[in-house]
Structure formats: C-alpha cells, structure tokens
Amino acid sequence: MISKSQMKFISSLSQKKFRDESRCFVAEGTKLVADLVTAFDCEHLFVTPEWKQFHVLPKAVQPLEITTEELKKMSNLKSPQGILAVFRRPDYSIDNILFENKLCLALDGVQDPGNLGTIIRIADWFGVEDVFCSEYSADAFGPKTVQATMGAISRVRVHYVNLSDFLNNLPAGFPVYGTFMDGENIYSQQFNTSGIIVMGNEGNGISDAIAQKVNRRLLIPNYPTGVETSESLNVAVATALVCAEFRRRM
Amino acid sequence: MISKSQMKFISSLSQKKFRDESRCFVAEGTKLVADLVTAFDCEHLFVTPEWKQFHVLPKAVQPLEITTEELKKMSNLKSPQGILAVFRRPDYSIDNILFENKLCLALDGVQDPGNLGTIIRIADWFGVEDVFCSEYSADAFGPKTVQATMGAISRVRVHYVNLSDFLNNLPAGFPVYGTFMDGENIYSQQFNTSGIIVMGNEGNGISDAIAQKVNRRLLIPNYPTGVETSESLNVAVATALVCAEFRRRM
C-alpha cells in the first residue's frame, strides 16, 4: 500500500523546488514510462489493477499497486493512464563534450513547458544530442515537459548553464547561429553543418546579451516575402525548420 | 452593464454546439482582437477599466465596460487579458477556388486545438490561404484554437468538408501529397510547388480512406537515418517542414 507521505512526496514533484531538492521527476503513461525506464533509475513505479490487466510491465521494475483514486491524487494528467513512475534525474557533465563536428541547441529562455518538450522531441528526431538551456528556461523535468517529449528526454541530454559563460567558453570561431528578422536567408546561405543553434524566448526572442555572441544571423523567410503574415513562428516550429535545413545539407 | 443572459451566451461559446448555432466565436487579448476586428464582424466587445487605462480601442467598435470579475466568468484564459470580443464566423465558399498554381493544406482529423491553431499560424506564414479540414478535425473557431493562431485565423480560410469527396472532386491528376513512413525522401524528390498537402491525425496519421487519394507519398527523414529516435514529429512541426520545403523551391 502507498503511504500518505509517499503520495505527498510524489504530488510535490509537480513543483520545481521539490524536484531540485530530491533530484526526482515524474512520468506517466505506458509508452513514456517504458522509454524512460531504459535510461533513468526508476525510484517508484505505481500501476492500477486495471492497467495490470492489459499491460506487461516494463523491465524488471517492481511496481506497487494503487487504486485509481490514489493515482488521480498524484497524477498531473486530466485522464491518468494507469501507470506513474518516479525517476532519478540524470547528472550530465558538459566538460567532456567534443563540440567539433557536432550540432547542438541552446535555448535562451524558452518558457513554455510544452514548447520545451516539443523542442526536445525535435532535437531527438534530428540527432541533436545536447540541448543547453539558460537558467531562465522552463524545467525539462517538469511534468508537462516530460510528457511533451514523448520519451525523447531519455535520449537527449538537457543541460542548464549560464548561457553567456557557456558561449564564451566555446572554441574561438566556433559557429553560433541564431534567427533574427534581419538575418540572412537560411536557404541561400552557406554554413557549416556543425555549431550551436540559439533559439530565443517565445515573446522576446534572443536576449541582447546572447545576441552579441551569435556570429551567424539567419532568417527563416516567410512566403510570399513582404506580404503581411503571422509575425513569427512558434519557437518549436522555428527550431524544427532550422534543424531540418542543417540536416538536409549533410 | 452586461446582462446575465449575455454572460451566459458568451460562456456557452466555449462549446461547439453553441458556436454552430449562433455562428459566433470568442477571441481574447489586445493583439488578437485588433487583428480579428479587421477581418470579421464584431458582435460584442468587452473591456475592463484597467485595460482601458493603458490601451487604445481597435477601430470604431463600441465596447462595453465590464468588471474583472465579470470577465473572469466568461474568459477561457487562466489570466484574462482585459479584453474579450465576440465575432461572427465567416462563411467561405469553396466553389470558386482556383486550385491551379495554389498550395493548400488538408487536415485529416487533427484533433488537438493547439495543434490546429499552430498549423493555421504556419499556413499564414507560408502563404497557404486555404486549409481544408475533415469533419473529424478540431474546430478552428474554438477558443483554444483561435488563441493559438495568434491572429492568423483572420488571414487563412479554414473550410470543413467531407475530405474524401473534396479530394475526389479535384481536377484529374492534381497533386495530392501526404507524409508516410514509407514515402520518398522529401529533400531528394522532384515535385510541383502546387497541390494539396494532407496531414493526418496526431495518433493515427492519415486514414486509410484518405491515403488512397494521396498520389505523392513523401517522407520527412530523421537523422541519422536508421538510429532510434522519436517515432514521429508533432503534426504541426511536420506541417511546417513540408510547407517550408515546398516554398524553398519556389
């Protein structure tokens, strides 16, 4: 049986400060838990009797059976899916990353958990292994983000850094890309297929301090150029378009 | 002063059946309302005194002042933004659309309002004027979708059709594109820059009935090919990648 204090602990993980303290995070749903269990240490696994009737357990993790009511109290989903797991958050070091020949993403204050999750999923799709988030970005291990990654969080390493210091410490001349309204058309430019692609905040784009570190300013053109259209693309959509263009050229 | 029945009516517009009955829909927020007021008939406009203090009214629409409490009761947003408008839904005819030299989107059961809104915003960005939704798609005039379009709903025409009949009635040989796991790499194929691009449901992709009408099967490649990555892209992201590739070639 699950204890009250256990339930309280798991509910608390919807808040960042308790995730930071415990270094734990929650994931829900059959496919997501199955993906994550291969990558992270599973601290707790809860399933309902209804779930057990129709599913096989992922790997050799020992589950605790709980009632649908108990699950509802801990779940972050509108419709809980019968399985909830608590994982230990990974500790990645950035010291040994070899940036040469590597394409990475840097996020300068992406705030929406859904956008961040979608960006991690996009990174995974395009083989981007490392995503560097400024301290003002959403938490990759928050419940909404984890769910939105659809499992990609188990394959993409998300690092939180002082983005300005991080960019300063890159090898001299290392390409740092960003998209700007006055950038150069991404489809008609020559560029390396390695480097860091910086994506900005949903409302404000790339901050001035970080914009100064960008040495290749790109533009995603709209169509037809010059006619009034939406003023901007969603940041996850823009990330996908830039990654696709880098990968198309490889 | 706003009447109780008016408030009830406006709250009811969060439900599709009342939107269909009244042919009205709700939009909130300063920029969104300003965009929509140029395109649709505005039936009601409500603002709070706090909003009025800091904003100029869009065009010559006569607003009714309401309290923050009254706005909260009608608003679909967690943090209401001080301005809410009710617009009349447009009636578009598809009879006079000239498909030649035109790029359109068709959505085969996109269910998530946020995805639909983002797709409409993408259509706007890429100059796609018409989006044809199957009857099983989310409602473009639902509050979540309208907000997610960020105003693009005022520039993109969204039509609801029997998608199978619609595709059957296209000129013979008209290109109908769709993305499939076994399609041809979109970046290495030749294709017209006009046609219909069909995008499928979030979970199930393009339905079998509609897949039969697709005469050009495309693939968005992941990277590096053959390595395990996310199994699919979000449908809005996939839409953007396909539209970008069509427009890049023009």
Side-chain angles (χ1 to χ4, degrees), chain B residues 11-55:
Chain B
S11 296
S12 81
L13 295 176
S14 64
Q15 293 174 59
K16 186 170 185 305
K17 69 171 176 176
F18 294 113
R19 288 195 299 275
D20 286 347
E21 260 175 44
S22 65
R23 309 289 299 163
C24 285
F25 69 98
V26 165
E28 300 187 60
T30 307
K31 191 189 160 299
L32 182 61
V33 171
D35 270 4
L36 268 53
V37 93
T38 63
F40 304 122
D41 291 335
C42 183
E43 300 274 318
H44 304 282
L45 179 64
F46 304 99
V47 299
T48 62
E50 295 76 23
W51 185 91
K52 255 182 107 171
Q53 255 191 295
F54 298 104
H55 296 88

Short mmCIF file of all heavy atoms in Angstrom, two decimals, chain B residues 11-55:
data_model
loop_
_atom_site.label_atom_id
_atom_site.label_comp_id
_atom_site.label_asym_id
_atom_site.label_seq_id
_atom_site.Cartn_x
_atom_site.Cartn_y
_atom_site.Cartn_z
N SER B 11 -20.30 32.62 -22.35
CA SER B 11 -19.70 31.41 -21.77
C SER B 11 -20.04 30.18 -22.60
O SER B 11 -19.22 29.28 -22.77
CB SER B 11 -20.19 31.19 -20.34
OG SER B 11 -19.78 32.25 -19.53
N SER B 12 -21.26 30.17 -23.14
CA SER B 12 -21.70 28.98 -23.90
C SER B 12 -20.86 28.78 -25.16
O SER B 12 -20.78 27.68 -25.70
CB SER B 12 -23.18 29.11 -24.27
OG SER B 12 -23.34 29.94 -25.42
N LEU B 13 -20.19 29.85 -25.63
CA LEU B 13 -19.43 29.76 -26.88
C LEU B 13 -18.15 28.93 -26.73
O LEU B 13 -17.44 28.70 -27.71
CB LEU B 13 -19.11 31.15 -27.42
CG LEU B 13 -20.32 31.98 -27.85
CD1 LEU B 13 -19.89 33.37 -28.29
CD2 LEU B 13 -21.10 31.28 -28.96
N SER B 14 -17.85 28.51 -25.50
CA SER B 14 -16.74 27.57 -25.36
C SER B 14 -17.13 26.18 -25.87
O SER B 14 -16.29 25.32 -26.05
CB SER B 14 -16.28 27.50 -23.90
OG SER B 14 -17.32 26.98 -23.10
N GLN B 15 -18.45 25.98 -26.08
CA GLN B 15 -18.93 24.69 -26.60
C GLN B 15 -19.28 24.80 -28.08
O GLN B 15 -19.96 25.72 -28.52
CB GLN B 15 -20.16 24.23 -25.82
CG GLN B 15 -19.85 23.87 -24.38
CD GLN B 15 -21.11 23.56 -23.62
OE1 GLN B 15 -21.85 22.65 -23.99
NE2 GLN B 15 -21.37 24.32 -22.57
N LYS B 16 -18.85 23.79 -28.83
CA LYS B 16 -19.01 23.81 -30.28
C LYS B 16 -20.47 23.93 -30.70
O LYS B 16 -20.80 24.67 -31.63
CB LYS B 16 -18.38 22.55 -30.89
CG LYS B 16 -18.39 22.57 -32.42
CD LYS B 16 -17.56 21.46 -33.01
CE LYS B 16 -17.47 21.57 -34.53
NZ LYS B 16 -18.75 21.63 -35.22
N LYS B 17 -21.37 23.25 -30.01
CA LYS B 17 -22.76 23.26 -30.47
C LYS B 17 -23.36 24.66 -30.39
O LYS B 17 -24.14 25.06 -31.25
CB LYS B 17 -23.63 22.23 -29.75
CG LYS B 17 -23.91 22.50 -28.30
CD LYS B 17 -24.97 21.49 -27.80
CE LYS B 17 -25.19 21.69 -26.31
NZ LYS B 17 -26.25 20.83 -25.77
N PHE B 18 -22.96 25.43 -29.39
CA PHE B 18 -23.48 26.79 -29.29
C PHE B 18 -22.80 27.72 -30.30
O PHE B 18 -23.41 28.67 -30.78
CB PHE B 18 -23.35 27.32 -27.86
CG PHE B 18 -24.23 26.56 -26.89
CD1 PHE B 18 -23.67 25.78 -25.90
CD2 PHE B 18 -25.62 26.63 -27.00
CE1 PHE B 18 -24.49 25.06 -25.01
CE2 PHE B 18 -26.44 25.92 -26.12
CZ PHE B 18 -25.87 25.13 -25.13
N ARG B 19 -21.53 27.43 -30.61
CA ARG B 19 -20.87 28.21 -31.67
C ARG B 19 -21.55 27.94 -33.01
O ARG B 19 -21.78 28.84 -33.81
CB ARG B 19 -19.38 27.85 -31.78
CG ARG B 19 -18.53 28.37 -30.65
CD ARG B 19 -17.04 28.30 -30.99
NE ARG B 19 -16.54 26.96 -31.26
CZ ARG B 19 -16.13 26.11 -30.32
NH1 ARG B 19 -16.18 26.43 -29.05
NH2 ARG B 19 -15.67 24.91 -30.66
N ASP B 20 -21.87 26.67 -33.25
CA ASP B 20 -22.51 26.31 -34.52
C ASP B 20 -23.89 26.95 -34.64
O ASP B 20 -24.27 27.46 -35.69
CB ASP B 20 -22.63 24.78 -34.64
CG ASP B 20 -21.29 24.13 -34.92
OD1 ASP B 20 -20.33 24.87 -35.27
OD2 ASP B 20 -21.18 22.90 -34.80
N GLU B 21 -24.64 26.92 -33.55
CA GLU B 21 -25.98 27.51 -33.55
C GLU B 21 -25.95 29.00 -33.82
O GLU B 21 -26.70 29.53 -34.63
CB GLU B 21 -26.62 27.30 -32.17
CG GLU B 21 -27.59 26.14 -32.08
CD GLU B 21 -28.06 25.96 -30.64
OE1 GLU B 21 -28.38 26.97 -29.96
OE2 GLU B 21 -28.07 24.81 -30.21
N SER B 22 -25.05 29.69 -33.11
CA SER B 22 -25.03 31.16 -33.17
C SER B 22 -24.12 31.70 -34.26
O SER B 22 -24.19 32.88 -34.59
CB SER B 22 -24.56 31.71 -31.83
OG SER B 22 -23.20 31.33 -31.60
N ARG B 23 -23.27 30.84 -34.82
CA ARG B 23 -22.24 31.26 -35.78
C ARG B 23 -21.34 32.33 -35.19
O ARG B 23 -20.86 33.23 -35.90
CB ARG B 23 -22.87 31.78 -37.10
CG ARG B 23 -23.88 30.84 -37.73
CD ARG B 23 -23.27 29.62 -38.34
NE ARG B 23 -22.32 29.91 -39.42
CZ ARG B 23 -21.43 29.02 -39.86
NH1 ARG B 23 -21.36 27.81 -39.33
NH2 ARG B 23 -20.62 29.32 -40.83
N CYS B 24 -21.12 32.29 -33.89
CA CYS B 24 -20.25 33.27 -33.23
C CYS B 24 -19.08 32.56 -32.55
O CYS B 24 -19.15 31.37 -32.25
CB CYS B 24 -21.03 34.04 -32.17
SG CYS B 24 -22.14 35.27 -32.89
N PHE B 25 -18.01 33.30 -32.33
CA PHE B 25 -16.88 32.76 -31.57
C PHE B 25 -16.19 33.87 -30.78
O PHE B 25 -16.41 35.05 -31.05
CB PHE B 25 -15.88 32.04 -32.50
CG PHE B 25 -15.13 32.95 -33.43
CD1 PHE B 25 -13.85 33.39 -33.12
CD2 PHE B 25 -15.69 33.37 -34.63
CE1 PHE B 25 -13.14 34.23 -33.98
CE2 PHE B 25 -14.99 34.20 -35.49
CZ PHE B 25 -13.71 34.64 -35.17
N VAL B 26 -15.37 33.45 -29.82
CA VAL B 26 -14.75 34.38 -28.88
C VAL B 26 -13.26 34.51 -29.15
O VAL B 26 -12.60 33.54 -29.51
CB VAL B 26 -14.98 33.87 -27.43
CG1 VAL B 26 -14.07 34.57 -26.44
CG2 VAL B 26 -16.44 34.04 -27.03
N ALA B 27 -12.73 35.72 -29.00
CA ALA B 27 -11.27 35.93 -29.03
C ALA B 27 -10.90 36.87 -27.90
O ALA B 27 -11.68 37.76 -27.55
CB ALA B 27 -10.84 36.51 -30.37
N GLU B 28 -9.72 36.68 -27.33
CA GLU B 28 -9.30 37.48 -26.18
C GLU B 28 -7.88 38.00 -26.36
O GLU B 28 -7.04 37.35 -27.00
CB GLU B 28 -9.36 36.63 -24.91
CG GLU B 28 -10.76 36.12 -24.60
CD GLU B 28 -10.81 35.44 -23.25
OE1 GLU B 28 -10.51 36.08 -22.23
OE2 GLU B 28 -11.16 34.24 -23.22
N GLY B 29 -7.62 39.14 -25.76
CA GLY B 29 -6.27 39.70 -25.79
C GLY B 29 -6.18 40.85 -26.78
O GLY B 29 -6.84 40.86 -27.82
N THR B 30 -5.34 41.80 -26.46
CA THR B 30 -5.28 43.06 -27.22
C THR B 30 -4.89 42.83 -28.67
O THR B 30 -5.58 43.27 -29.60
CB THR B 30 -4.26 44.00 -26.56
OG1 THR B 30 -4.61 44.13 -25.18
CG2 THR B 30 -4.27 45.37 -27.21
N LYS B 31 -3.79 42.13 -28.89
CA LYS B 31 -3.30 41.98 -30.25
C LYS B 31 -4.23 41.11 -31.10
O LYS B 31 -4.52 41.42 -32.26
CB LYS B 31 -1.89 41.37 -30.23
CG LYS B 31 -1.25 41.46 -31.60
CD LYS B 31 0.04 40.71 -31.73
CE LYS B 31 0.33 40.45 -33.21
NZ LYS B 31 -0.70 39.63 -33.89
N LEU B 32 -4.71 40.03 -30.50
CA LEU B 32 -5.58 39.12 -31.24
C LEU B 32 -6.87 39.82 -31.66
O LEU B 32 -7.30 39.74 -32.81
CB LEU B 32 -5.88 37.89 -30.38
CG LEU B 32 -6.74 36.81 -31.03
CD1 LEU B 32 -6.08 36.25 -32.28
CD2 LEU B 32 -7.05 35.69 -30.06
N VAL B 33 -7.50 40.52 -30.72
CA VAL B 33 -8.75 41.22 -31.05
C VAL B 33 -8.49 42.28 -32.13
O VAL B 33 -9.27 42.42 -33.07
CB VAL B 33 -9.38 41.84 -29.78
CG1 VAL B 33 -10.54 42.76 -30.14
CG2 VAL B 33 -9.86 40.74 -28.83
N ALA B 34 -7.37 42.99 -32.03
CA ALA B 34 -7.04 44.01 -33.03
C ALA B 34 -6.87 43.39 -34.42
O ALA B 34 -7.29 43.97 -35.43
CB ALA B 34 -5.77 44.76 -32.62
N ASP B 35 -6.28 42.21 -34.49
CA ASP B 35 -6.13 41.50 -35.76
C ASP B 35 -7.48 41.09 -36.33
O ASP B 35 -7.77 41.26 -37.51
CB ASP B 35 -5.29 40.22 -35.58
CG ASP B 35 -3.80 40.47 -35.76
OD1 ASP B 35 -3.40 41.64 -35.95
OD2 ASP B 35 -3.03 39.50 -35.70
N LEU B 36 -8.32 40.53 -35.47
CA LEU B 36 -9.56 39.92 -35.94
C LEU B 36 -10.61 40.96 -36.31
O LEU B 36 -11.46 40.72 -37.17
CB LEU B 36 -10.11 38.94 -34.88
CG LEU B 36 -9.63 37.49 -35.06
CD1 LEU B 36 -8.12 37.40 -35.16
CD2 LEU B 36 -10.17 36.60 -33.98
N VAL B 37 -10.54 42.11 -35.67
CA VAL B 37 -11.55 43.14 -35.90
C VAL B 37 -11.47 43.68 -37.34
O VAL B 37 -12.45 44.19 -37.87
CB VAL B 37 -11.38 44.26 -34.83
CG1 VAL B 37 -10.51 45.39 -35.30
CG2 VAL B 37 -12.73 44.75 -34.35
N THR B 38 -10.33 43.50 -37.97
CA THR B 38 -10.19 43.96 -39.36
C THR B 38 -10.77 42.93 -40.34
O THR B 38 -10.93 43.24 -41.52
CB THR B 38 -8.71 44.17 -39.72
OG1 THR B 38 -8.04 42.90 -39.63
CG2 THR B 38 -8.04 45.16 -38.80
N ALA B 39 -11.03 41.72 -39.86
CA ALA B 39 -11.43 40.65 -40.78
C ALA B 39 -12.85 40.13 -40.55
O ALA B 39 -13.51 39.68 -41.48
CB ALA B 39 -10.46 39.48 -40.65
N PHE B 40 -13.33 40.22 -39.32
CA PHE B 40 -14.63 39.62 -39.00
C PHE B 40 -15.56 40.67 -38.40
O PHE B 40 -15.11 41.65 -37.82
CB PHE B 40 -14.46 38.47 -37.99
CG PHE B 40 -13.52 37.39 -38.44
CD1 PHE B 40 -12.40 37.06 -37.68
CD2 PHE B 40 -13.72 36.70 -39.63
CE1 PHE B 40 -11.53 36.07 -38.08
CE2 PHE B 40 -12.86 35.70 -40.04
CZ PHE B 40 -11.75 35.39 -39.27
N ASP B 41 -16.86 40.43 -38.54
CA ASP B 41 -17.83 41.31 -37.88
C ASP B 41 -17.76 41.10 -36.36
O ASP B 41 -17.86 39.97 -35.88
CB ASP B 41 -19.26 40.98 -38.35
CG ASP B 41 -19.47 41.38 -39.80
OD1 ASP B 41 -18.75 42.29 -40.27
OD2 ASP B 41 -20.33 40.77 -40.45
N CYS B 42 -17.60 42.21 -35.66
CA CYS B 42 -17.50 42.13 -34.21
C CYS B 42 -18.89 42.34 -33.61
O CYS B 42 -19.49 43.40 -33.79
CB CYS B 42 -16.52 43.18 -33.70
SG CYS B 42 -16.27 43.10 -31.91
N GLU B 43 -19.40 41.34 -32.91
CA GLU B 43 -20.75 41.42 -32.34
C GLU B 43 -20.74 42.08 -30.97
O GLU B 43 -21.64 42.83 -30.64
CB GLU B 43 -21.32 40.00 -32.18
CG GLU B 43 -21.44 39.23 -33.48
CD GLU B 43 -22.75 39.53 -34.20
OE1 GLU B 43 -23.79 39.60 -33.54
OE2 GLU B 43 -22.71 39.68 -35.44
N HIS B 44 -19.73 41.76 -30.18
CA HIS B 44 -19.62 42.34 -28.84
C HIS B 44 -18.16 42.56 -28.53
O HIS B 44 -17.31 41.76 -28.94
CB HIS B 44 -20.18 41.39 -27.76
CG HIS B 44 -21.57 40.96 -27.99
ND1 HIS B 44 -22.66 41.76 -27.71
CD2 HIS B 44 -22.08 39.79 -28.46
CE1 HIS B 44 -23.77 41.11 -28.01
NE2 HIS B 44 -23.44 39.90 -28.48
N LEU B 45 -17.91 43.63 -27.79
CA LEU B 45 -16.55 43.88 -27.32
C LEU B 45 -16.63 44.30 -25.87
O LEU B 45 -17.36 45.24 -25.52
CB LEU B 45 -15.90 44.99 -28.17
CG LEU B 45 -14.47 45.36 -27.78
CD1 LEU B 45 -13.52 44.19 -28.00
CD2 LEU B 45 -14.01 46.57 -28.58
N PHE B 46 -15.90 43.59 -25.01
CA PHE B 46 -15.90 43.89 -23.59
C PHE B 46 -14.49 44.24 -23.14
O PHE B 46 -13.53 43.54 -23.50
CB PHE B 46 -16.40 42.68 -22.79
CG PHE B 46 -17.75 42.21 -23.21
CD1 PHE B 46 -17.88 41.12 -24.07
CD2 PHE B 46 -18.90 42.86 -22.77
CE1 PHE B 46 -19.12 40.68 -24.47
CE2 PHE B 46 -20.16 42.42 -23.19
CZ PHE B 46 -20.27 41.33 -24.04
N VAL B 47 -14.39 45.30 -22.37
CA VAL B 47 -13.08 45.65 -21.80
C VAL B 47 -13.25 46.01 -20.33
O VAL B 47 -14.32 46.44 -19.90
CB VAL B 47 -12.42 46.85 -22.54
CG1 VAL B 47 -12.18 46.52 -24.01
CG2 VAL B 47 -13.26 48.11 -22.42
N THR B 48 -12.18 45.82 -19.58
CA THR B 48 -12.20 46.22 -18.17
C THR B 48 -11.67 47.65 -18.05
O THR B 48 -10.94 48.11 -18.93
CB THR B 48 -11.30 45.28 -17.32
OG1 THR B 48 -9.96 45.39 -17.79
CG2 THR B 48 -11.76 43.83 -17.42
N PRO B 49 -12.02 48.34 -16.99
CA PRO B 49 -11.50 49.71 -16.79
C PRO B 49 -9.96 49.72 -16.79
O PRO B 49 -9.33 50.62 -17.32
CB PRO B 49 -12.05 50.10 -15.41
CG PRO B 49 -13.20 49.19 -15.17
CD PRO B 49 -12.94 47.93 -15.91
N GLU B 50 -9.34 48.68 -16.18
CA GLU B 50 -7.87 48.61 -16.13
C GLU B 50 -7.30 48.53 -17.55
O GLU B 50 -6.29 49.15 -17.86
CB GLU B 50 -7.42 47.36 -15.33
CG GLU B 50 -7.80 47.38 -13.86
CD GLU B 50 -9.27 47.08 -13.62
OE1 GLU B 50 -9.92 46.45 -14.48
OE2 GLU B 50 -9.80 47.50 -12.56
N TRP B 51 -7.94 47.76 -18.40
CA TRP B 51 -7.46 47.63 -19.78
C TRP B 51 -7.53 49.00 -20.46
O TRP B 51 -6.59 49.42 -21.13
CB TRP B 51 -8.32 46.60 -20.54
CG TRP B 51 -7.81 46.35 -21.93
CD1 TRP B 51 -6.92 45.39 -22.31
CD2 TRP B 51 -8.15 47.08 -23.12
NE1 TRP B 51 -6.67 45.48 -23.66
CE2 TRP B 51 -7.41 46.50 -24.18
CE3 TRP B 51 -9.00 48.15 -23.40
CZ2 TRP B 51 -7.51 46.96 -25.50
CZ3 TRP B 51 -9.09 48.62 -24.71
CH2 TRP B 51 -8.36 48.02 -25.73
N LYS B 52 -8.68 49.68 -20.26
CA LYS B 52 -8.91 50.97 -20.95
C LYS B 52 -7.87 52.02 -20.57
O LYS B 52 -7.52 52.88 -21.38
CB LYS B 52 -10.30 51.49 -20.58
CG LYS B 52 -11.31 51.33 -21.70
CD LYS B 52 -12.64 51.91 -21.30
CE LYS B 52 -12.94 53.21 -22.02
NZ LYS B 52 -14.35 53.63 -21.76
N GLN B 53 -7.41 51.92 -19.34
CA GLN B 53 -6.42 52.89 -18.86
C GLN B 53 -5.16 52.88 -19.73
O GLN B 53 -4.51 53.90 -19.90
CB GLN B 53 -6.02 52.52 -17.44
CG GLN B 53 -6.61 53.41 -16.38
CD GLN B 53 -5.93 53.11 -15.06
OE1 GLN B 53 -6.05 52.00 -14.53
NE2 GLN B 53 -5.21 54.11 -14.54
N PHE B 54 -4.79 51.72 -20.22
CA PHE B 54 -3.49 51.59 -20.87
C PHE B 54 -3.56 51.28 -22.36
O PHE B 54 -2.54 51.08 -23.01
CB PHE B 54 -2.67 50.49 -20.17
CG PHE B 54 -2.38 50.81 -18.74
CD1 PHE B 54 -3.08 50.18 -17.72
CD2 PHE B 54 -1.45 51.78 -18.40
CE1 PHE B 54 -2.84 50.48 -16.39
CE2 PHE B 54 -1.18 52.08 -17.07
CZ PHE B 54 -1.88 51.43 -16.06
N HIS B 55 -4.77 51.17 -22.92
CA HIS B 55 -4.87 50.75 -24.31
C HIS B 55 -5.82 51.65 -25.10
O HIS B 55 -6.75 52.22 -24.54
CB HIS B 55 -5.38 49.31 -24.41
CG HIS B 55 -4.47 48.32 -23.81
ND1 HIS B 55 -4.52 47.97 -22.49
CD2 HIS B 55 -3.44 47.61 -24.35
CE1 HIS B 55 -3.58 47.08 -22.22
NE2 HIS B 55 -2.91 46.84 -23.33
#
